[in-house]
Amino acid sequence: MTQPPHDEPTASSPEELRAQVERTRAELGETVQALTAKAEEKAAEVKAQTAAKAGELKARAADVAHQAQDRLPEPVRDKAAQAAGQARAKAAEVGQLWEEKAPEPVREKTARGAQLARDNRKVLVAAACVAVVLWLACRRRKG
């Protein structure tokens, strides 16, 4: 058995022991509540910081996308729009085939991934624009 704290005498009767146990439980409960409050406060702080950083990154990605789009020549933008239309049409066709042939668990995971992509569309578009600009720059250097 463990020894009692130095500032508390040992219980001389069962009633005193019960009272000590109740005091200890109450103190422990207060300690747990205080620690929980601190943890929740820290979690809220981290969540707010994360949301702020995500907002900054989205804004930066949107700026890069706009800059990349502004630098693209008109024929490239037209071809990109045309290719995007063709890709959407093909994707719809493949999606229909997928719905008919894929197992249910795979379809569910794919649907979640597609929703995530739709939720982060600006970031994906910015990344695609940067990739196109880099590709064009590399192509110009070679030619």
Side-chain angles (χ1 to χ4, degrees), residues 16-79:
E16 285 182 27
L17 182 59
R18 285 187 189 98
Q20 284 179 357
V21 167
E22 287 304 315
R23 276 195 307 274
T24 303
R25 283 183 183 158
E27 290 172 3
L28 182 60
E30 290 172 8
T31 302
V32 167
Q33 285 178 342
L35 290 173
T36 301
K38 283 184 180 179
E40 288 174 350
E41 184 179 311
K42 187 66 175 174
E45 182 181 315
V46 168
K47 184 178 178 181
Q49 289 173 350
T50 302
K53 195 63 160 173
E56 289 174 21
L57 290 175
K58 283 183 181 180
R60 240 187 265 160
D63 287 344
V64 169
H66 288 299
Q67 290 173 5
Q69 191 174 20
D70 291 345
R71 290 181 182 155
L72 289 177
E74 191 64 35
V76 173
R77 277 190 250 163
D78 291 343
K79 282 188 177 185

Side-chain angles (χ1 to χ4, degrees), residues 2-138:
T2 60
Q3 293 182 348
H6 296 289
D7 59 347
E8 277 192 42
T10 57
S12 59
S13 69
E15 291 80 25
E16 285 182 27
L17 182 59
R18 285 187 189 98
Q20 284 179 357
V21 167
E22 287 304 315
R23 276 195 307 274
T24 303
R25 283 183 183 158
E27 290 172 3
L28 182 60
E30 290 172 8
T31 302
V32 167
Q33 285 178 342
L35 290 173
T36 301
K38 283 184 180 179
E40 288 174 350
E41 184 179 311
K42 187 66 175 174
E45 182 181 315
V46 168
K47 184 178 178 181
Q49 289 173 350
T50 302
K53 195 63 160 173
E56 289 174 21
L57 290 175
K58 283 183 181 180
R60 240 187 265 160
D63 287 344
V64 169
H66 288 299
Q67 290 173 5
Q69 191 174 20
D70 291 345
R71 290 181 182 155
L72 289 177
E74 191 64 35
V76 173
R77 277 190 250 163
D78 291 343
K79 282 188 177 185
Q82 183 182 12
Q86 290 173 348
R88 278 192 289 275
K90 193 65 172 176
E93 183 181 320
V94 169
Q96 183 64 32
L97 182 63
W98 176 261
E99 284 291 321
E100 295 170 2
K101 305 277 183 182
E104 183 63 29
V106 175
R107 281 187 286 185
E108 288 175 10
K109 285 186 179 184
T110 304
R112 277 183 280 191
Q115 184 61 45
L116 184 64
R118 281 191 293 274
D119 292 344
N120 296 301
R121 185 176 293 158
K122 288 182 182 178
V123 175
L124 292 173
V125 168
C129 287
V130 168
V132 167
V133 168
L134 290 174
W135 177 73
L136 287 172
C138 289

